[in-house]
């Protein structure tokens, strides 16, 4: 009996034919799968196996992140959820874990009492705190006490269902400042600043993410300093010892805030305007904090990877520049009808933000190149230009399966704690390459 599979294996041990085969097969590679060049082929004899129906790639989980947050904190999911719509499930969870700001005085759940106390404390601050609470009350913003959030996260505002999820902070000062931070995000949502377009270029997305996160940090400074003006300097002291990043603890940031505030008062400004002057200065300085900057760069990188893995960019064949403009920056700190403190602020460029960490820059370059291929096609001049630059820079991440990177990054968010995605990519580079498989058509089964 002839064994065609053995002959086929021998044929593919021919370098010239293997190169020819790869030149054809490579053109059909998906964006999320690296195109293997002939000179990168593993020095391993291919495994010959019968041809089978290609395995279907399972769809990414359809569970919205809002709902996933609750599932991670619900040890015994109710059977009732199976028959509910998405909206009904979210309402079910919110009834269990949440209360609205306007009804906080009537909420008697002991697991949420710490949030009620923090909101009441914030409400007592005339200039920076009460406007935040007024916005939360007027819009019936929900607050949800959840013991488990992604690593490195103390609280989150979820725009889709308009709620703030928060874990218990051991320090009451931290609890108040966390909520001030998240209500600022709720205010940004009402300004339309929390959304992004799949048309946007990567710089627009990074700018939106970091601006939207820097403004609430500066708001925390203003709240803490107003508490100090009212005779309680424990909040200002808390910021100086904050465990999150030097965006909070850098002595130069505190000095800059106080200097700007005092200069405003000396020039005849009101306390409210002087507090905003201090916040403006801190907002510009937050981008200089390495831990803070890399945390949110990593966050946006993972968001970009997720959209790429889901094929979101295929339907958007053009790229929009400056999707998040100076007017958006100005509105990032507005609360209701009150003026913000970010108008006219200087925000570092995309290149400046990535200039501090080579591996983060490589990760962004690899992901953006894959996105441009998905949007514009591999032959587009912009794609060819970035590909040439990445190769010249010896970017090590260009051959990775970015869909797998996204999957591992998502798992790490819940299971292994905070981890920069480029470290996941580094680990994948050290893993052995899969053994190539060549299939042959199996002979038909004999008739019974």
């Amino acid at each position: 009996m002839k064994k065609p599979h053995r002959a086929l294996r021998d044929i593919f041990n021919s370098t010239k034919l293997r190169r020819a085969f790869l030149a054809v097969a490579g053109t059909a590679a998906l964006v999320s799968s690296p195109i293997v060049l002939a000179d990168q082929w593993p020095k391993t004899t291919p495994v010959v196996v019968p041809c089978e129906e290609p395995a279907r790639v399972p769809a990414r989980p359809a569970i919205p992140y809002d709902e996933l947050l609750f599932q991670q904190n619900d040890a015994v999911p109710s059977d009732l959820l199976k028959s509910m719509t998405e909206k009904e499930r979210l309402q079910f969870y919110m009834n269990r874990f949440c209360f609205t700001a306007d009804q906080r005085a009537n909420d008697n759940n002991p697991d949420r009492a710490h949030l009620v106390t923090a909101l009441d404390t914030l409400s007592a601050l005339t200039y920076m705190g009460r406007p935040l609470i007024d916005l939360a009350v007027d819009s019936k913003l929900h607050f949800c006490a959840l013991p488990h959030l992604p690593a490195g996260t103390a609280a989150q505002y979820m725009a889709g269902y308009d709620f703030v999820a928060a874990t218990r902070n051991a320090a009451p000062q931290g609890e108040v400042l966390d909520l001030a931070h998240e209500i600022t995000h709720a205010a940004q949502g009402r300004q339309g600043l929390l959304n992004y377009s799949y048309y946007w270029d990567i710089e627009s997305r990074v700018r939106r993410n970091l601006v939207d996160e820097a403004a609430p940090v500066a708001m925390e400074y203003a709240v803490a300093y107003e508490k100090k003006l009212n005779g309680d300097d424990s909040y200002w002291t808390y910021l100086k010892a904050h465990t999150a990043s030097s965006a909070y603890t850098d002595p130069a940031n505190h000095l800059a805030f106080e200097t700007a505030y005092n200069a405003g008062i000396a020039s005849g400004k009101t306390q409210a305007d002087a507090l905003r002057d201090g916040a403006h200065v801190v907002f510009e300085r937050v981008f200089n904090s390495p831990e803070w900057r890399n945390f949110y760069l990593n966050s946006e990188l993972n968001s970009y990877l997720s959209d790429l893995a889901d094929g979101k960019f295929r339907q958007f064949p053009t790229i929009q520049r400056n999707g998040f403009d100076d007017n958006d920056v100005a509105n990032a700190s507005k609360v209701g009808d009150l003026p913000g403190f970010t108008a006219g602020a200087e925000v570092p460029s995309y290149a400046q933000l990535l200039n501090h960490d080579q591996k983060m820059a490589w990760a962004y370059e690899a992901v953006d190149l894959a996105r441009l291929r998905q949007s514009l096609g591999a032959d587009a001049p912009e794609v060819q230009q970035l590909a040439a630059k990445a190769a010249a820079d010896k970017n090590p991440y260009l051959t990775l399966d970015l869909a797998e990177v996204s999957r591992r990054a998502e798992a790490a968010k819940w299971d292994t704690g905070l981890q920069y995605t480029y470290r996941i990519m580094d680990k994948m580079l050290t893993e052995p390459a899969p053994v190539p498989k060549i299939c042959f058509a199996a002979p038909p089964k004999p008739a019974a």
Side-chain angles (χ1 to χ4, degrees):
M1 178 182 290
K2 292 183 179 180
K3 297 182 179 180
H5 59 283
R6 182 177 298 277
L8 187 61
R9 182 189 63 192
D10 293 339
I11 289 173
F12 270 85
N13 279 335
S14 164
T15 301
K16 289 184 178 179
L17 286 177
R18 188 169 67 237
R19 288 177 183 267
F21 172 81
L22 287 169
V24 174
T27 61
L30 296 176
V31 171
S32 59
S33 301
I35 296 176
V36 182
L37 302 177
D39 59 358
Q40 296 172 329
W41 188 266
K43 305 299 189 294
T44 306
T45 301
V47 174
V48 183
V49 297
C51 292
E52 298 177 352
E53 186 73 18
R56 293 189 177 185
V57 178
R60 291 171 62 84
I63 301 175
Y65 180 71
D66 311 61
E67 185 175 340
L68 183 61
L69 271 181
F70 289 114
Q71 283 193 8
Q72 292 287 336
N73 290 275
D74 192 18
V76 186
S78 170
D79 290 339
L80 294 174
L81 297 176
K82 297 178 181 179
S83 61
M84 293 181 182
T85 65
E86 176 187 326
K87 186 175 181 179
E88 289 171 340
R89 287 195 301 272
L90 262 294
Q91 189 59 56
F92 172 83
Y93 280 126
M94 292 175 80
N95 289 340
R96 292 187 62 183
F97 292 103
C98 315
F99 61 90
T100 56
D102 62 313
Q103 293 293 323
R104 69 184 187 277
N106 300 321
D107 190 83
N108 297 317
N109 189 316
D111 293 334
R112 305 195 287 251
H114 59 104
L115 295 182
V116 172
T117 300
L119 291 171
D120 289 342
T121 301
L122 196 56
S123 181
L125 295 174
T126 303
Y127 304 120
M128 307 308 291
R130 190 177 302 160
L132 292 170
I133 297 300
D134 288 345
L135 180 143
V137 168
D138 292 344
S139 58
K140 300 184 185 300
L141 182 63
H142 280 79
F143 293 85
C144 308
L146 301 180
H148 183 43
L149 292 179
T153 303
Q156 280 186 302
Y157 169 66
M158 306 306 301
Y161 284 89
D162 200 31
F163 70 88
V164 172
T167 59
R168 182 186 292 273
N169 194 311
Q173 296 87 351
E175 196 97 59
V176 171
L177 297 177
D178 288 345
L179 295 186
H181 185 118
E182 299 310 324
I183 300 172
T184 304
H185 282 318
Q188 292 170 342
R190 284 146 181 79
Q191 295 284 340
L193 303 180
L194 300 183
N195 301 319
Y196 61 87
S197 167
Y198 295 119
Y199 283 113
W200 281 10
D201 69 343
I202 185 57
E203 178 158 8
S204 298
R205 287 183 60 155
V206 168
R207 183 177 170 91
R208 180 204 67 86
N209 193 342
L210 270 67
V211 164
D212 281 355
E213 291 297 342
V217 172
M219 180 67 79
E220 291 183 66
Y221 271 80
V223 167
Y225 202 76
E226 185 175 355
K227 285 291 289 184
K228 180 178 179 178
L229 294 174
N230 290 351
D232 183 357
D233 65 356
S234 65
Y235 287 76
W236 197 243
T237 301
Y238 172 84
L239 278 185
K240 291 180 178 180
H242 203 294
T243 58
S245 75
S246 59
Y248 293 98
T249 59
D250 187 349
N253 288 357
H254 293 264
L255 177 61
F257 186 100
E258 291 191 286
T259 300
Y261 174 83
N262 291 333
I265 294 297
S267 67
K269 291 186 177 181
T270 64
Q271 282 192 334
D273 287 339
L275 286 168
R276 281 189 278 270
D277 286 350
H280 178 97
V281 171
V282 167
F283 170 79
E284 292 184 326
R285 295 185 57 85
V286 167
F287 298 94
N288 297 326
S289 169
E291 310 96 327
W292 180 91
R293 182 179 57 238
N294 274 7
F295 180 89
Y296 287 107
L297 283 173
N298 196 70
S299 169
E300 187 57 48
L301 178 67
N302 288 343
S303 174
Y304 210 50
L305 275 165
S306 177
D307 288 342
L308 180 68
D310 287 344
K312 295 288 182 62
F313 302 110
R314 290 194 180 97
Q315 301 177 36
F316 299 89
T318 57
I319 308 296
Q320 178 187 350
R321 314 293 177 189
N322 200 29
F324 195 87
D325 60 21
D326 290 344
N327 186 59
D328 295 322
V329 174
N331 288 332
S333 55
K334 280 181 61 64
V335 178
D337 295 330
L338 294 178
F341 49 77
T342 47
E346 292 186 13
V347 177
S349 69
Y350 175 69
Q352 289 170 328
L353 289 168
L354 290 177
N355 192 41
H356 303 275
D357 191 318
Q358 180 61 73
K359 288 190 174 184
M360 185 71 77
W362 275 333
Y364 263 94
E365 184 177 58
V367 174
D368 197 32
L369 177 58
R371 175 268 169 94
L372 292 176
R373 283 176 176 147
Q374 198 174 96
S375 291
L376 307 178
D379 295 331
E382 188 171 354
V383 174
Q384 296 293 325
Q385 182 179 3
L386 183 57
K389 176 183 178 300
D393 292 342
K394 301 188 186 308
N395 188 324
Y397 302 140
L398 299 180
T399 60
L400 292 178
D401 181 345
L402 297 181
E404 176 63 11
V405 174
S406 180
R407 187 195 67 77
R408 295 190 189 190
E410 179 65 24
K413 181 165 62 177
W414 293 103
D415 298 336
T416 59
L418 176 62
Q419 181 176 183
Y420 288 144
T421 299
Y422 64 66
R423 298 197 187 283
I424 295 173
M425 300 168 87
D426 284 343
K427 182 178 180 181
M428 289 175 64
L429 288 174
T430 67
E431 296 173 353
V435 177
K437 295 181 180 180
I438 300 172
C439 68
F440 67 93
K445 294 183 179 179

